Amino acid sequence: METKKSDLIRAFVKGGILSPADMLKIMDISQSLNNKFVLFGSRQDIMFPSHDADQKNIDHAFQDIAIDYELGSDQSVFQNIVSSYIAVNVVETTNWVKEDTYHFVIDNFDYKPRIKINIVDPVQSIVPLFTGELNFIASKEDNYWYLYIRDPRKGNVVECWPKLIFSHDIAKVSRALEELILNFQPFGIDELFVILQGKMRINYRTITEKLKYPDSTFPYYEGLNAMLNNQYWLGLYWRNNQYDIDFMSAACRLCQETNVGKINIIPWKAFIIKGIKASDRIRWEKLMGKFGINGRHSSLELNWHLPVIDAEALELKRFLVRELDQQDISTHGLTFTIKMKRESFLFTSIVIERNNTLEASERYNILYAKDFNPNKIAYLTYARDVKKEIIPALLIELSKMYYRQLNPEREKLGDKNKEEKVSASVLSYQCSNCLSVYDKRYGDALANIPPGVPFEDLPDTYKCHVCDSPKKYFVAMAVSAKV
């Protein structure tokens, strides 16, 4: 029987941090419901099918764990707190933001949030900054955080709180803002600031400089990798997001035996174990070998965000990864979303969006973040209503566009490699809006233009096959051809 999101039990793992003992108990609960796997969510939570289990039995099973849960993840009443705890000692981070910093802030939450809250370091890039509705982002000043509010009712526009907020005040500010956001009409950021000043005393500090967005380069988060102090971290990823309970249980027990204190879930539906001693590395390698675990997937596979339990999205991803792999294309630094429903909030560089307005056939829109940086929460349309088979070519064009942006230096005609003879007689035309190219050697199959037709001979009605820009927006460009 097909599992629906409404059938899932969702365990809220605050900050994506839990002990091996608690993870093991969750594995036991899932296994007791005749499951062979668990799923990870994009808000660092754990999910598994309930199989119509009695609510009282589930309550009883969760009694021994300091973790809240909810049945029916498609209509959540409560939300998990997301943090970038995992980034410490794994990727570059703000120097004052340590593991203890996250523990202190998260432990102060003595209630179950009903809105999404993020506690995030802006230097790291493994955890998105603005996927919460309240986003506390570390500043350069010790123990002070920016607050960015994203209200879906106002079109997901992100607004910055007028002052920095002290670590001790994050939980009480969150609780007060949640009440205002949920129970009243949308307020402007200045109105909220004034209301809170009348409700409580908050330790503020003046913002002296704007938040600088991190580079959008996405880290490779899988395999056994070196940390400081002669330790390692292990990242593991499953293609189908169905993590085998037998392996997970064995991993939890090995954590306990080797004094690894925490397991960390990341928003990319994977998990990371930090603090593995060098002397225990061989034990982890043997454990992965025993269960046949692949610890080094291609980076093409790791940078995707898919909906939970969506067979169509998973199959589309598999198709696209195969096609890109065949082309030997690098997507390092880019991230991708397959979006099947309109309500999804975007946090990747490139988005493949199912066009649900067309019923006759499967068509998709291709979007990309401004400057390919999803933290800017501004997306541009690259192509509309394209068939599945066309998507790989468009993703290749976008990846090249991304790398051109990273290296904006333009070749000069006189500065060529002396070892090659070149000819600049072949002229192509480039769309000035989306940078796609019309080359007469290839024509434009989507517009029924055969190879060999010069751009000048195209009809005035010709439009860019990617962004629909008219012919007048194309500019001539020299294309060097070896002779």
Side-chain angles (χ1 to χ4, degrees):
M1 184 175 65
E2 182 182 356
T3 301
K4 300 178 181 179
K5 289 185 180 180
S6 58
D7 299 325
L8 292 177
I9 293 173
R10 181 185 185 196
F12 298 103
V13 180
K14 287 184 179 179
I17 316 160
L18 78 169
S19 69
D22 284 345
M23 174 70 92
L24 188 55
K25 289 176 183 176
I26 291 175
M27 296 303 113
D28 290 341
I29 295 171
S30 182
Q31 196 166 44
S32 71
L33 297 174
N34 298 315
N35 294 314
K36 295 183 178 180
F37 62 87
V38 295
L39 310 159
F40 294 139
S42 58
R43 291 202 62 78
Q44 299 175 315
D45 34 30
I46 302 174
M47 291 173 275
F48 49 89
S50 64
H51 300 296
D52 299 320
D54 184 84
Q55 183 82 38
K56 290 183 179 179
N57 292 334
I58 299 174
D59 288 339
H60 180 74
F62 271 90
Q63 279 181 355
D64 295 334
I65 313 177
I67 294 175
D68 295 316
Y69 84 94
E70 188 172 76
L71 178 58
S73 66
D74 60 338
Q75 296 179 341
S76 296
V77 175
F78 300 105
Q79 297 292 344
N80 197 34
I81 298 173
V82 162
S83 84
S84 53
Y85 172 98
I86 180 55
V88 180
N89 296 325
V90 170
V91 295
E92 185 179 356
T93 56
T94 301
N95 57 8
W96 65 264
V97 183
K98 308 297 184 183
E99 291 175 340
D100 288 346
T101 309
Y102 293 103
H103 280 300
F104 175 82
V105 172
I106 293 169
D107 288 347
N108 277 337
F109 281 82
D110 58 358
Y111 71 100
K112 294 192 291 186
R114 290 177 293 159
I115 62 176
K116 298 173 182 176
I117 298 171
N118 285 14
I119 316 292
V120 194
D121 183 341
V123 176
Q124 60 79 44
S125 56
I126 196 168
V127 178
L129 298 188
F130 299 118
T131 55
E133 289 155 289
L134 302 181
N135 302 281
F136 294 92
I137 301 174
S139 74
K140 291 182 179 179
E141 299 189 46
D142 286 14
N143 277 301
Y144 279 89
W145 306 71
Y146 298 95
L147 167 59
Y148 283 81
I149 298 180
R150 177 180 63 83
D151 191 340
R153 298 172 301 177
K154 297 168 66 176
N156 284 321
V157 174
V158 172
E159 299 178 277
C160 183
W161 197 252
K163 292 184 181 291
L164 300 177
I165 295 176
F166 192 45
S167 294
H168 291 66
D169 293 331
I170 287 178
K172 70 177 184 179
V173 167
S174 298
R175 190 167 198 163
L177 286 175
E178 177 180 292
E179 181 182 352
L180 292 170
I181 290 171
L182 292 179
N183 297 329
F184 298 95
Q185 293 297 319
F187 288 109
I189 200 83
D190 293 329
E191 291 176 280
L192 287 171
F193 182 73
V194 171
I195 293 171
L196 244 63
Q197 277 191 313
K199 280 180 170 286
M200 62 183 66
R201 184 174 180 177
I202 302 170
N203 191 344
Y204 285 133
R205 186 162 290 183
T206 301
I207 297 176
T208 57
E209 61 177 311
K210 291 183 178 180
L211 172 67
K212 293 181 180 178
Y213 296 129
D215 294 334
S216 57
T217 303
F218 189 67
Y220 191 96
Y221 58 79
E222 197 181 29
L224 269 167
N225 302 274
M227 291 174 60
L228 300 177
N229 303 321
N230 200 29
Q231 293 183 330
Y232 290 84
W233 62 268
L234 170 64
L236 289 174
Y237 155 85
W238 260 247
R239 285 189 174 103
N240 60 4
N241 192 25
Q242 294 185 3
Y243 287 80
D244 179 71
I245 287 176
D246 288 340
F247 170 75
M248 295 298 295
S249 298
C252 291
R253 285 190 286 269
L254 185 52
C255 283
Q256 292 173 318
E257 293 169 13
T258 57
N259 296 316
V260 172
K262 300 295 179 185
I263 295 176
N264 309 272
I265 301 167
I266 65 173
W268 301 90
K269 300 181 174 66
F271 73 98
I272 287 176
I273 298 171
K274 296 194 292 183
I276 296 173
K277 300 181 186 69
S279 58
D280 294 324
R281 177 174 180 172
I282 189 66
R283 296 187 65 181
W284 284 98
E285 290 176 344
K286 287 182 176 179
L287 178 66
M288 290 187 289
K290 176 182 177 181
F291 283 89
I293 304 300
N294 175 14
R296 280 291 174 186
H297 288 90
S298 163
S299 60
L300 280 172
E301 295 208 46
L302 297 178
N303 50 359
W304 292 77
H305 177 254
L306 273 64
V308 175
I309 306 183
D310 193 313
E312 181 184 352
L314 180 60
E315 181 54 39
L316 177 58
K317 179 204 167 177
R318 287 170 171 163
F319 165 76
L320 296 174
V321 168
R322 286 196 303 268
E323 292 296 311
L324 293 174
D325 186 55
Q326 288 294 317
Q327 297 292 330
D328 286 330
I329 293 299
S330 172
T331 59
H332 178 70
L334 293 170
T335 52
F336 300 85
T337 289
I338 294 181
K339 178 184 176 185
M340 308 307 285
K341 295 181 180 179
R342 291 188 177 275
E343 62 267 21
S344 302
F345 177 72
L346 304 175
F347 61 87
T348 60
S349 317
I350 297 173
V351 179
I352 300 99
E353 175 188 61
R354 173 73 181 269
N355 191 337
N356 293 308
T357 61
L358 299 178
E359 298 179 358
S361 60
E362 294 182 7
R363 297 280 183 143
Y364 300 87
N365 304 325
I366 311 299
L367 315 174
Y368 67 100
K370 183 179 180 182
D371 299 329
F372 291 94
N373 190 335
N375 292 314
K376 296 189 176 181
I377 317 181
Y379 283 83
L380 309 174
T381 299
Y382 191 67
R384 291 186 181 277
D385 303 335
V386 298
K387 293 182 179 180
K388 170 183 173 180
E389 292 73 20
I390 304 298
I391 298 175
L394 298 177
L395 297 185
I396 291 171
E397 289 180 7
L398 273 172
S399 67
K400 292 178 179 178
M401 182 174 163
Y402 167 68
Y403 289 116
R404 284 199 299 270
Q405 174 187 277
L406 293 180
N407 301 282
E409 300 84 2
R410 295 182 179 180
E411 293 182 354
K412 296 180 181 179
L413 290 176
D415 187 21
K416 299 293 182 183
N417 190 326
K418 295 181 181 180
E419 296 180 0
E420 294 181 348
K421 293 182 179 181
V422 299
S423 171
S425 61
V426 179
L427 280 178
S428 291
Y429 285 76
Q430 186 173 54
C431 175
S432 58
N433 289 324
C434 73
L435 305 184
S436 63
V437 173
Y438 175 85
D439 191 322
K440 73 176 185 180
R441 292 173 295 180
Y442 309 113
D444 186 346
L446 293 176
N448 296 318
I449 306 296
V453 177
F455 183 82
E456 295 83 355
D457 293 345
L458 297 179
D460 292 338
T461 56
Y462 176 77
K463 293 183 179 181
C464 173
H465 70 271
V466 173
C467 69
D468 285 337
S469 294
K471 182 181 178 182
K472 66 180 181 180
Y473 287 99
F474 281 75
V475 294
M477 57 182 291
V479 176
S480 297
K482 296 179 184 180
V483 295

